[in-house]
C-alpha cells in the first residue's frame, strides 16, 4: 500500500459540532479505505447476487475480490447497451440490480449521438446527499463565516424525457434538484441560497436565469460566494447580466416583475420577494453601464470570498475569463462526480485550479484503476487488463477509472483519466487529467475525433457541386466568446475559381456540421444557450504544410506527423489565424427535441 504520511494530516478544527461529525466520518472512511472497499464490494455482490448479469458470469454468490476479478469482464457502455435497452423498454426483471431501477441518469458522454442512459436506484440519492453534506464542513475549515450570508448559485433543471417503458431519463443534477432531498432540505445556515426553489426548478432557461439574477442583485451585500456547476455556466450568467441589466434594474426600481416571466408559481414567489429599491437600481445601472466589466463580480457582490465552479479538465480554458470578471477571486472545485457515480471531494478546496486533487470516498462505490498508457493498443478478452485496487495506486501514475456500483454497473470504464497526486490517510487523491478521447468541449458537450470527422464529411458534400473539397482541417474550442463556440479551420481545394463556394454555402456547411453533432451539443445550442454558432475559418492553401513544418522544427518526426484534429497551442493558433481568408458562422439553430430516438 503506497501511503505518503507527510501528505496526510487530520482535518480540523471544525466550525461546529455538525461539522465535527462530518470530518470524523471523512477521517474514518479514508483511514480504513481498503476495508471499506472490501465491505462495499461484498455488499454490492450480495445485494445483486441473483441478478441476471452476475448469474451470467457464474459468480455463484461469491463476494470476494479474487472471484469477482477473475470472473467479471471489464466493460464499456456499448457492452451494456442490450441490457440497458431492455430496462428502458420496460423489462422490470432483476437484470443489473436487485433493486428496481428508479430512473435513468443521462450522461453527457455520448453514444451514437445520444446521451448514455445510466441506471440508478432510489438509495443512490442518499449516497449522493451524504457526499453533498461533507462539502461545507470542509469549506468551513478554509473560509470562516459562511453561515453569516448567502450563496448566489445559478442552478438549472434541464429537459427530461421518458423511455418507451416509462422510466424518467434526465441529467443527474436535474434529478437531484427535483428530489425531495433538495426541495425539502432542512435549514442550514451554511447552505442558504439567494435563489428560491421556484426559480431553480423553472424549466424555461430565460425565466430561471432572470429571476435568479434578480434575487442575487437584491441580496448583493449578503452574497459570500458565487457559483454555478461549470465555469461556463457562471460566465453565461455574467453575459446574461450584460444583456439584461436595464430591465433588471427597472424591476428593482419599481418592485414589479418583467412580463417575460410568465411561470405562475415563479411570479407568485417573486411577488413576495420583490420590493421597490430605487437606490439599488441606480447602483446596478451605474456599474453595468461602465465600459469595462473587469472585476464586475466583486463590484456588484463586494463580500464574495470565492467562486464555486468546476475549473478542472475542459473547464480550465475559462480560468482567465473568470479571473477578469472576478478580480482573481479563488476558485473552489469542491467535488468530483458523474452520472454513473459520485466519487469524492476536494479536501483543499481553496488551492489553485492547477493543483486541484479529489480524494476518493471509498464508501461511494467499488473502485478499480486501469493503468493508462496512451501508446497502448488496448486489450482484448483474451488478454484482460491488470487492474489496481484503490489503495494500491502509485503517486505520479495515470489511470482510467473503473467502477462497480450498487445500481448494477460492474467493472465499468468511466472514461476519466486521473493522475495520483498523493494520499489522505490510505485514500488516494487524484488530479482529473481529461476525458478519454474527447476532442472538443464548451459546456457539458463532448465531441470526439470520429464525430468531428463525420461532421466535416457531411458538410463537405455541399461543396461537391462547386468542384471543391476539404484538403485538411483542425479545430479548437473558442471560449473567449460567451457562450463559447467551436471553430473549424478548413483548407479548401477549389478546382474552378470562377465557381468557388459562396459565403451562403459555407454558412450552410457550418449548419450541416452542427446537424451532425451529438444531441448534447445540439441541446446546448438550442435549449440551454450554452454553445454559440459553429464557425468555419477558411485558410490559405499551403497553411497545413506550414503547420507540419512548424511541428517538425519543434522535433516532430516527419514520418509520424499527423495533423492535429484539435489545437490549443498559442503559436499554432496564431499561425492558423494569420492565414485566414474568410470566416463563416452557422446561420440557424440545428434540429433538437427532448424526445429520445427510439
Amino acid at each position: 500500500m503506497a501511503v505518503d504520511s507527510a501528505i496526510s494530516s487530520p482535518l480540523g478544527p471544525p466550525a461546529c459540532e455538525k461539522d465535527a461529525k462530518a470530518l470524523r466520518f471523512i477521517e474514518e472512511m479514508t483511514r480504513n479505505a481498503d476495508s471499506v472497499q472490501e465491505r462495499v464490494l461484498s455488499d454490492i455482490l450480495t445485494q445483486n447476487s441473483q441478478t441476471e448479469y452476475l448469474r451470467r458470469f457464474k459468480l455463484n454468490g461469491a463476494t470476494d475480490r479474487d472471484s469477482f476479478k477473475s470472473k467479471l469482464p471489464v466493460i464499456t457502455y456499448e457492452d451494456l447497451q442490450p441490457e440497458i435497452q431492455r430496462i428502458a423498454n420496460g423489462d422490470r426483471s432483476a437484470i443489473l440490480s436487485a433493486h428496481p431501477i428508479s430512473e435513468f441518469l443521462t450522461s453527457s458522454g455520448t453514444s451514437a449521438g445520444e446521451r448514455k442512459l445510466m441506471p440508478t436506484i432510489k438509495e443512490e440519492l442518499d449516497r449522493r446527499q451524504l457526499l453533498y453534506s461533507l462539502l461545507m464542513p470542509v469549506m468551513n475549515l478554509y473560509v470562516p463565516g459562511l453561515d453569516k450570508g448567502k450563496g448566489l448559485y445559478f442552478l438549472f433543471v434541464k429537459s427530461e424525457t421518458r423511455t418507451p417503458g416509462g422510466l424518467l431519463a434526465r441529467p443527474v443534477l436535474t434529478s437531484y434538484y427535483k428530489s425531495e432531498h433538495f426541495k425539502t432540505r432542512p435549514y442550514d445556515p451554511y447552505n442558504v441560497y439567494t435563489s428560491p426553489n421556484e426559480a431553480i426548478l423553472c424549466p424555461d432557461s430565460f425565466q430561471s436565469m432572470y429571476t435568479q439574477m434578480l434575487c442575487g442583485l437584491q441580496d448583493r451585500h449578503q452574497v459570500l460566494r458565487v457559483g454555478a456547476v461549470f465555469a461556463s455556466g457562471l460566465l453565461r450568467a455574467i453575459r446574461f447580466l450584460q444583456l439584461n441589466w436595464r430591465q433588471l434594474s427597472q424591476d428593482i426600481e419599481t418592485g414589479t416583475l418583467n412580463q417575460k416571466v410568465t411561470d405562475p408559481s415563479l411570479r407568485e414567489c417573486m411577488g413576495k420577494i420583490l420590493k421597490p429599491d430605487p437606490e439599488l437600481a441606480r447602483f446596478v445601472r451605474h456599474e453595468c453601464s461602465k465600459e469595462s466589466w473587469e472585476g464586475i463580480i466583486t463590484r456588484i457582490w463586494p463580500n464574495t470570498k470565492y467562486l464555486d465552479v468546476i475549473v478542472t479538465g475542459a473547464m480550465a480554458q475559462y480560468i482567465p475569463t473568470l479571473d477578469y470578471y472576478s478580480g482573481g477571486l479563488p476558485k473552489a472545485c469542491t467535488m468530483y462526480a458523474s452520472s454513473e457515480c459520485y466519487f469524492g471531494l476536494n479536501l483543499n478546496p481553496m488551492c489553485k485550479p492547477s493543483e486541484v486533487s479529489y480524494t476518493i470516498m471509498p464508501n461511494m462505490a467499488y473502485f478499480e484503476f486501469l493503468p493508462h498508457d496512451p501508446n497502448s493498443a488496448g486489450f482484448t478478452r483474451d488478454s484482460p487488463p491488470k487492474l489496481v485496487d484503490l489503495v494500491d495506486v502509485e503517486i505520479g501514475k495515470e489511470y482510467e477509472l473503473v467502477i462497480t456500483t450498487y445500481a448494477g454497473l460492474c467493472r465499468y470504464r468511466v472514461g476519466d483519466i486521473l493522475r495520483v497526486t498523493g494520499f489522505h490517510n490510505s485514500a488516494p487523491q487524484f488530479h482529473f487529467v481529461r476525458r478519454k478521447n474527447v476532442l472538443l468541449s464548451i459546456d457539458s458537450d463532448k465531441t470526439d475525433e470520429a464525430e468531428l470527422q463525420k461532421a466535416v464529411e457531411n458538410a463537405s458534400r455541399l461543396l461537391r457541386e462547386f468542384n471543391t473539397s476539404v484538403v485538411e482541417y483542425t479545430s479548437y474550442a473558442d471560449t473567449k466568446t460567451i457562450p463559447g463556440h467551436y471553430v473549424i479551420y478548413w483548407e479548401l481545394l477549389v478546382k474552378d475559381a470562377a465557381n468557388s463556394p459562396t459565403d451562403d454555402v459555407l454558412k450552410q456547411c457550418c449548419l450541416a456540421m452542427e446537424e451532425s453533432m451529438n444531441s448534447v451539443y445540439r441541446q446546448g445550442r438550442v435549449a440551454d444557450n450554452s454553445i454559440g454558432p459553429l464557425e468555419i475559418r477558411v485558410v490559405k492553401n499551403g497553411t497545413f504544410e506550414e503547420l507540419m513544418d512548424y511541428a517538425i522544427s519543434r522535433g516532430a518526426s516527419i514520418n509520424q506527423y499527423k495533423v492535429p484534429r484539435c489545437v490549443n497551442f498559442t503559436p499554432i493558433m496564431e499561425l492558423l489565424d494569420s492565414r485566414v481568408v474568410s470566416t463563416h458562422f452557422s446561420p440557424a439553430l440545428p434540429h433538437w427535441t427532448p424526445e429520445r430516438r427510439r
Side-chain angles (χ1 to χ4, degrees):
M1 188 188 301
V3 179
D4 184 345
S5 57
I7 296 171
S8 200
S9 60
L11 299 168
C16 58
E17 182 47 42
K18 187 178 165 203
D19 282 11
K21 186 179 174 188
L23 299 179
R24 281 196 299 271
F25 178 77
I26 293 170
E27 288 297 292
E28 183 189 335
M29 288 294 111
T30 56
R31 258 200 310 270
N32 305 303
D34 198 46
S35 56
V36 172
Q37 280 282 276
E38 210 162 14
R39 174 177 57 74
V40 164
L41 180 63
S42 177
D43 287 350
I44 291 171
L45 297 180
T46 301
Q47 180 175 299
N48 294 330
S49 63
Q50 294 308 305
T51 58
E52 184 184 308
Y53 189 80
L54 288 185
R55 292 205 335 253
R56 181 185 310 161
F57 295 104
K58 298 183 170 50
L59 209 55
N60 300 327
T63 62
D64 62 288
R65 283 173 174 168
D66 289 345
S67 303
F68 170 75
K69 291 187 175 201
S70 64
K71 295 188 176 181
L72 267 81
V74 176
I75 59 164
T76 63
Y77 184 78
E78 286 63 37
D79 296 317
L80 269 192
Q81 253 182 321
E83 284 78 13
I84 285 171
Q85 202 54 56
R86 282 172 54 199
I87 299 167
N89 289 341
D91 190 331
R92 295 289 178 265
S93 55
I95 299 171
L96 298 175
S97 165
H99 288 235
I101 300 301
S102 54
E103 63 180 320
F104 284 110
L105 303 177
T106 54
S107 165
S108 59
T110 58
S111 174
E114 287 296 332
R115 290 178 181 270
K116 294 177 182 175
L117 292 174
M118 291 299 161
T120 192
I121 55 180
K122 278 203 167 68
E123 70 174 63
E124 276 302 300
L125 262 174
D126 297 329
R127 233 179 306 280
R128 281 180 232 137
Q129 181 61 44
L130 173 62
L131 196 63
Y132 282 126
S133 74
L134 304 175
L135 302 181
M136 288 310 289
V138 172
M139 185 57 75
N140 291 337
L141 297 174
Y142 296 88
V143 184
L146 290 174
D147 56 335
K148 304 294 188 288
K150 298 182 179 182
L152 168 53
Y153 284 82
F154 296 98
L155 307 175
F156 303 93
V157 294
K158 294 199 175 183
S159 63
E160 52 189 44
T161 161
R162 287 194 182 269
T163 67
L167 283 174
L168 269 175
R170 55 190 180 180
V172 63
L173 289 173
T174 297
S175 168
Y176 177 65
Y177 299 148
K178 288 192 167 186
S179 73
E180 293 307 307
H181 284 74
F182 181 80
K183 290 193 287 190
T184 61
R185 60 196 184 277
Y187 173 78
D188 178 349
Y190 289 98
N191 258 324
V192 179
Y193 298 148
T194 55
S195 301
N197 285 358
E198 289 85 348
I200 295 169
L201 295 171
C202 177
D204 182 275
S205 60
F206 174 86
Q207 296 181 55
S208 176
M209 177 77 89
Y210 191 93
T211 48
Q212 290 192 59
M213 184 63 78
L214 197 52
C215 292
L217 291 170
Q218 285 219 139
D219 282 342
R220 78 180 198 93
H221 286 297
Q222 292 174 272
V223 170
L224 300 182
R225 57 198 205 273
V226 176
V229 178
F230 293 123
S232 54
L234 183 51
L235 290 174
R236 225 162 43 247
I238 299 300
R239 180 65 179 154
F240 187 89
L241 182 59
Q242 282 182 320
L243 295 172
N244 295 281
W245 61 264
R246 290 175 183 84
Q247 185 58 53
L248 287 159
S249 51
Q250 175 71 18
D251 289 7
I252 292 168
E253 184 169 44
T254 60
T256 57
L257 186 60
N258 188 334
Q259 290 305 308
K260 286 184 183 173
V261 180
T262 56
D263 184 291
S265 66
L266 198 43
R267 288 199 73 85
E268 183 186 347
C269 162
M270 293 302 292
K272 296 170 187 167
I273 295 170
L274 265 179
K275 299 285 182 290
D277 191 339
E279 190 182 335
L280 175 59
R282 273 194 301 275
F283 170 80
V284 171
R285 287 190 185 107
H286 179 256
E287 288 300 328
C288 293
S289 60
K290 289 180 180 174
E291 192 174 331
S292 170
W293 272 51
E294 186 170 0
I296 192 70
I297 292 175
T298 44
R299 277 157 45 193
I300 290 186
W301 296 284
N303 299 316
T304 309
K305 296 172 186 274
Y306 65 93
L307 305 180
D308 191 345
V309 284
I310 293 171
V311 287
T312 51
M315 290 296 127
Q317 59 197 347
Y318 295 102
I319 291 170
T321 318
L322 282 175
D323 282 340
Y324 175 81
Y325 286 125
S326 73
L329 279 176
K331 286 160 282 296
C333 300
T334 55
M335 68 183 286
Y336 172 36
S338 76
S339 311
E340 295 92 335
C341 177
Y342 278 28
F343 305 118
L345 64 166
N346 182 359
L347 296 181
N348 183 17
M350 299 302 276
C351 67
K352 292 180 190 166
S354 59
E355 294 168 5
V356 169
S357 287
Y358 300 103
T359 303
I360 299 283
M361 290 299 287
N363 58 309
M364 298 306 293
Y366 183 68
F367 300 104
E368 296 175 274
F369 298 87
L370 176 60
H372 177 62
D373 177 3
N375 302 313
S376 158
F379 60 89
T380 64
R381 290 288 162 97
D382 298 327
S383 60
K386 296 279 190 293
L387 270 61
V388 178
D389 280 327
L390 180 68
V391 299
D392 295 326
V393 294
E394 295 177 47
I395 291 175
K397 290 197 173 173
E398 290 186 3
Y399 299 88
E400 183 182 345
L401 180 58
V402 177
I403 58 170
T404 297
T405 69
Y406 288 87
L409 297 179
C410 283
R411 309 197 88 191
Y412 177 88
R413 295 175 69 172
V414 174
D416 288 0
I417 306 299
L418 310 174
R419 184 185 307 115
V420 188
T421 56
F423 283 79
H424 181 77
N425 296 322
S426 60
Q429 299 178 306
F430 293 93
H431 176 70
F432 179 91
V433 178
R434 60 184 171 83
R435 284 282 298 173
K436 200 174 177 197
N437 301 328
V438 171
L439 205 62
L440 291 167
S441 178
I442 292 289
D443 190 55
S444 57
D445 55 299
K446 296 177 176 68
T447 300
D448 64 24
E449 192 167 330
E451 282 180 294
L452 183 64
Q453 172 77 28
K454 183 186 76 174
V456 170
E457 285 171 3
N458 289 347
S460 62
R461 288 190 190 122
L462 300 177
L463 303 175
R464 285 179 189 166
E465 64 180 285
F466 300 91
N467 209 3
T468 295
S469 57
V470 179
V471 177
E472 271 302 355
Y473 69 92
T474 188
S475 64
Y476 89 99
D478 184 352
T479 56
K480 290 188 175 65
T481 59
I482 301 174
H485 70 290
Y486 288 8
V487 174
I488 318 297
Y489 294 94
W490 273 10
E491 185 174 320
L492 300 178
L493 177 59
V494 183
K495 291 181 182 163
D496 178 4
N499 186 35
S500 59
T502 63
D503 173 55
D504 279 346
V505 170
L506 288 162
K507 283 179 176 174
Q508 289 304 317
C509 288
C510 294
L511 182 56
M513 284 195 70
E514 294 201 302
E515 292 286 7
S516 303
M517 297 294 183
N518 59 63
S519 65
V520 185
Y521 174 92
R522 287 179 286 115
Q523 179 177 345
R525 278 281 284 123
V526 177
D528 303 336
N529 302 313
S530 59
I531 304 171
L534 181 141
E535 177 185 4
I536 289 176
R537 294 181 189 171
V538 178
V539 295
K540 289 177 185 170
N541 288 96
T543 297
F544 280 85
E545 273 190 47
E546 288 185 64
L547 201 63
M548 182 173 78
D549 291 343
Y550 178 77
I552 290 166
S553 75
R554 295 186 75 243
S557 158
I558 193 163
N559 296 321
Q560 294 178 308
Y561 175 78
K562 288 193 302 189
V563 173
R565 291 306 177 209
C566 183
V567 292
N568 53 21
F569 184 51
T570 303
I572 288 180
M573 319 250 311
E574 287 173 349
L575 188 155
L576 287 165
D577 282 331
S578 71
R579 304 295 188 271
V580 170
V581 293
S582 63
T583 61
H584 316 271
F585 287 89
S586 185
L589 293 170
H591 177 74
W592 177 81
T593 57
E595 288 79 34
R596 290 189 62 80
R597 294 177 190 155
R598 298 289 184 259

